Amino acid sequence: MQNIHNDKILILDFGAQYTQLIARRIREIGVYCEIWAWDHDPADIARFAPKGIILSGGPESVTEANSPRAPQTVFDLGLPVLGICYGMQTMAEQLGGKVEGGHHREFGYAQVSAALDCGLFRGLVSDAPNAPELGEGESWMGRQGDNTVVEPVVARVALDVWMSHGDRVTALPPGFVAAGRTDSLEYAAMADEARRYYGVQFHPEVTHTKQGAALLRRFVVDLCGCATLWTPANIIDDAVARVREQVGTDKVLLGLSGGVDSSVVAALLERAIGEQLVCVFVDTGLLRWHEGDQVMATMARNMGVNVIRVDAAERYFAALAGVEDPEAKRKIIGRLFVEIFEEESAKLTDVKWLAQGTIYPDVIESAGAKTGKAHVIKSHHNVGGLPEHMKLGLVEPLRELFKDEVRRMGVELGLPREMVYRHPFPGPGLGVRVLGEVKPEYVELLQQADHIFIEELRAQNLYDKTSQAFAVFLPVKSVGVVGDGRAYEWVIALRAVETIDFMTAHWARLPYEFLEHVSRRIINEMRGVSRVVYDISGKPPATIEWE
């Protein structure tokens, strides 16, 4: 079997909001990559043996003292290097060029006139069909240090790109030529073909840069020479082999939540070790409508996974009785899960490994830089943070993967697409979608309302057009008219958002006719609800969840 990690790209992160997006784009091309902090131990870079290095953007200014710099190792290894935004600026500054602030800032759309004789842009076509082409014998003026140089260009291509910068390169380092410009930016791209060093001031990783994916492919495949082996089928084969090597004939325990990550881990481990896997599914009573039965049907009956189901709804409702504070509810739900999981695991014998659905963003956020200079954003604990005294080794077969890769892997493993691609669901479940105290009758109403909302979204082909949609139970009563009588019943709020990264979100502009239909169904089919409202708050200032 080919080693799918051999041909790889290293991304050095200077703190950009788009760094993970760079990695996802590289992975989509079919090439493995990792994200390390800019101040990672330089010796590790050589040991990692990448085929190329990408320097990300970042919020700092190269013109400030003590701002981040790329390790000199990056330029000593003789590898192709691509600098993006801040990455281009620090490359220029470190290699003998000049960067200045105080110029016209560029945020948003721009059109770059790019040189087609540059290896990075070769083969691209104009995004603007009528854009003029620069003919034979015409040239750009450029400056290297204090010297003005003439750079002949055979042809150029007009590219629609996304800019986000204040500083700019004002003089190219020795060996570089101007490879792209805009009406207001002399050096939108630069290239040193001999050393295979490239810089772009725009962001090829965002979808607003129309040919960004093609540009990144040019870099990682054509210039770095990476084979495109990073595919769902190959990832599964690799993960299966590594799990078998890690656990041998030992038993592995998995806390199955019904979410995407744990479900994909279960399907993967079942393929790798079969009956050596034991899953514990704690049905909290706070899941979606009939979700416990769906999990068992999918994992146990259809996938052949060994699942122990624990019906713990009564314990959860008892523990949550009288509790209204959202944070207190979260802690109770998490602590009780750990207790029940421990009770069930104590009944098993010969279990030596604990499987978790840790994914790559969790790893990035937890790691920090090995030099200790970067800040740890959060430490990650999966499965509610299981206690150390369990003394089990960890199996984390998804820890190299982004969420979109996990989903594609799930489909490849045979999980139903509607399970794999369903909207995110909070760890505490409906415990934080019932506002205030959580009671069984409130949860049942919410489950039914949520089911109707999601069912109609799917029926009207709107589900995949929203990023997250759900219902919320409001502990307030509203006067209504049901039949010929006065009703004084509960209120359900509907929430649907559109977002790329869940850091910011817009409320989804669902059709009025659709919302009217959902509202009518909820009120007509459910006893106890007399009013339905739709949440039109964005994030910020609101959060996506209500609690």
Side-chain angles (χ1 to χ4, degrees):
M1 187 172 70
Q2 291 175 298
N3 187 336
I4 61 176
H5 297 86
N6 268 355
D7 288 9
K8 56 195 176 224
I9 298 293
L10 177 62
I11 301 166
L12 290 184
D13 180 19
F14 289 90
Q17 60 177 319
Y18 298 137
T19 302
Q20 290 193 27
L21 197 50
I22 300 172
R24 288 171 57 197
R25 296 289 176 259
I26 301 301
R27 301 276 189 94
E28 286 168 2
I29 292 166
V31 175
Y32 180 67
C33 62
E34 290 188 14
I35 298 171
W36 292 4
W38 64 271
D39 60 352
H40 199 101
D41 185 349
D44 286 343
I45 296 176
R47 284 193 287 269
F48 184 65
K51 288 288 190 76
I53 297 174
I54 295 177
L55 309 177
S56 84
E60 308 282 351
S61 171
V62 171
T63 62
E64 298 292 329
N66 301 318
S67 56
R69 292 291 186 270
Q72 184 57 38
T73 304
V74 168
F75 305 111
D76 292 342
L77 291 175
L79 299 171
V81 180
L82 171 62
I84 296 174
C85 197
Y86 184 95
M88 170 177 166
Q89 294 166 9
T90 194
M91 178 190 291
E93 184 79 17
Q94 290 180 244
L95 297 178
K98 290 184 180 178
V99 176
E100 296 178 6
H103 293 262
H104 172 71
R105 293 150 64 90
E106 280 189 305
F107 292 96
Y109 167 81
Q111 189 173 87
V112 167
S113 180
L116 275 174
D117 65 345
C118 170
L120 205 57
F121 303 122
R122 195 169 294 127
L124 301 186
V125 296
S126 282
D127 290 316
N130 299 320
E133 299 243 329
L134 191 64
E136 186 82 44
E138 297 184 69
S139 63
W140 277 338
M141 301 297 289
R143 193 158 65 89
Q144 292 182 351
D146 295 324
N147 301 315
T148 300
V149 296
V150 176
E151 298 156 359
V153 178
V154 175
R156 67 183 181 184
V157 64
L159 303 178
D160 291 339
V161 304
W162 187 259
M163 294 282 190
S164 180
H165 69 97
D167 296 349
R168 62 181 57 195
V169 175
T170 55
L172 298 174
F176 281 80
V177 297
R181 69 190 307 170
T182 70
D183 290 340
S184 60
L185 184 64
E186 187 174 7
Y187 303 122
M190 65 181 191
D192 180 339
E193 299 285 0
R195 290 184 287 182
R196 295 178 296 172
Y197 289 172
Y198 304 91
V200 292
Q201 189 57 70
F202 56 89
H203 288 271
E205 69 273 22
V206 302
T207 54
H208 301 76
T209 299
K210 291 182 180 177
Q211 296 188 70
L215 185 152
L216 291 172
R217 184 180 183 87
R218 281 285 304 156
F219 180 72
V220 301
V221 175
D222 300 327
L223 296 170
C224 297
C226 292
T228 53
L229 301 176
W230 192 256
T231 64
N234 286 347
I235 295 169
I236 290 169
D237 289 343
D238 179 77
V240 165
R242 288 201 281 174
V243 166
R244 287 173 177 167
E245 182 180 359
Q246 181 183 10
V247 307
T249 58
D250 298 336
K251 284 187 178 178
V252 179
L253 178 64
L254 169 65
L256 184 63
S257 69
V260 175
D261 298 336
S262 69
S263 296
V264 172
V265 171
L268 178 66
L269 293 182
E270 199 284 328
R271 178 174 293 192
I273 58 175
E275 294 181 357
Q276 294 167 237
L277 172 67
V278 180
C279 296
V280 173
F281 170 51
V282 180
D283 190 342
T284 64
L286 303 173
L287 302 175
R288 287 165 280 209
W289 183 250
H290 292 160
E291 187 171 13
D293 295 336
Q294 292 167 6
V295 169
M296 295 302 294
T298 300
M299 305 309 302
R301 289 195 284 278
N302 296 340
M303 303 292 294
V305 178
N306 179 14
V307 183
I308 298 170
R309 179 175 182 171
V310 183
D311 291 310
E314 289 186 6
R315 287 179 66 174
Y316 273 88
F317 288 125
L320 291 167
V323 180
E324 296 186 359
D325 179 70
E327 193 57 30
K329 290 194 294 185
R330 288 177 181 272
K331 288 179 179 177
I332 290 169
I333 293 167
R335 185 171 63 246
L336 189 52
F337 178 87
V338 172
E339 288 178 13
I340 296 171
F341 191 84
E342 279 196 275
E343 291 168 9
E344 293 302 318
S345 63
K347 300 174 185 176
L348 303 171
T349 57
D350 301 326
V351 172
K352 296 183 180 178
W353 299 90
L354 174 69
Q356 295 193 152
T358 307
I359 62 176
Y360 194 41
D362 303 328
V363 176
I364 296 168
E365 290 173 351
S366 298
K370 292 200 173 179
T371 59
K373 296 176 187 174
H375 295 289
V376 175
I377 299 171
K378 71 175 183 180
S379 40
H380 177 78
H381 297 286
N382 222 302
V383 197
L386 295 173
E388 293 182 5
H389 66 74
M390 291 188 75
K391 302 287 190 238
L392 298 175
L394 274 184
V395 178
E396 298 176 312
L398 308 183
R399 64 179 288 112
E400 291 181 343
L401 305 179
F402 288 102
K403 193 76 167 188
D404 51 337
E405 294 176 302
V406 174
R407 294 186 194 279
R408 288 195 290 271
M409 197 168 164
V411 172
E412 185 79 18
L413 284 164
L415 290 171
R417 193 184 188 282
E418 58 271 20
M419 169 189 270
V420 171
Y421 281 94
R422 68 183 175 187
H423 293 169
F425 190 66
L430 300 182
V432 291
R433 290 182 179 171
V434 171
L435 303 195
E437 184 180 4
V438 180
K439 296 183 178 181
E441 59 268 29
Y442 297 170
V443 171
E444 185 176 356
L445 283 174
L446 179 57
Q447 286 174 329
Q448 294 178 52
D450 187 77
H451 172 68
I452 290 171
F453 188 28
I454 299 303
E455 184 178 62
E456 290 297 338
L457 284 168
R458 291 191 186 279
Q460 300 297 322
N461 293 318
L462 293 169
Y463 185 83
D464 291 331
K465 296 177 182 177
T466 58
S467 306
Q468 191 169 1
F470 54 92
V472 180
F473 178 88
L474 306 187
V476 294
K477 285 192 173 183
S478 170
V479 174
V481 178
V482 178
D484 294 324
R486 176 183 180 275
Y488 190 53
E489 297 175 325
W490 301 112
V491 179
I492 292 289
L494 303 180
R495 176 82 158 139
V497 298
E498 296 173 355
T499 180
I500 295 174
D501 56 11
F502 288 89
M503 301 299 292
T504 61
H506 299 289
W507 61 275
R509 273 62 170 174
L510 297 176
Y512 291 151
E513 297 80 7
F514 170 81
L515 292 172
E516 180 185 24
H517 178 64
V518 172
S519 174
R520 190 185 303 115
R521 274 200 64 188
I522 290 173
I523 293 171
N524 288 346
E525 296 176 25
M526 294 171 50
R527 288 187 172 274
V529 176
S530 64
R531 193 175 298 267
V532 175
V533 298
Y534 188 55
D535 184 350
I536 58 169
S537 310
K539 177 187 180 182
T543 54
I544 292 177
E545 297 286 346
W546 278 48
E547 284 192 345

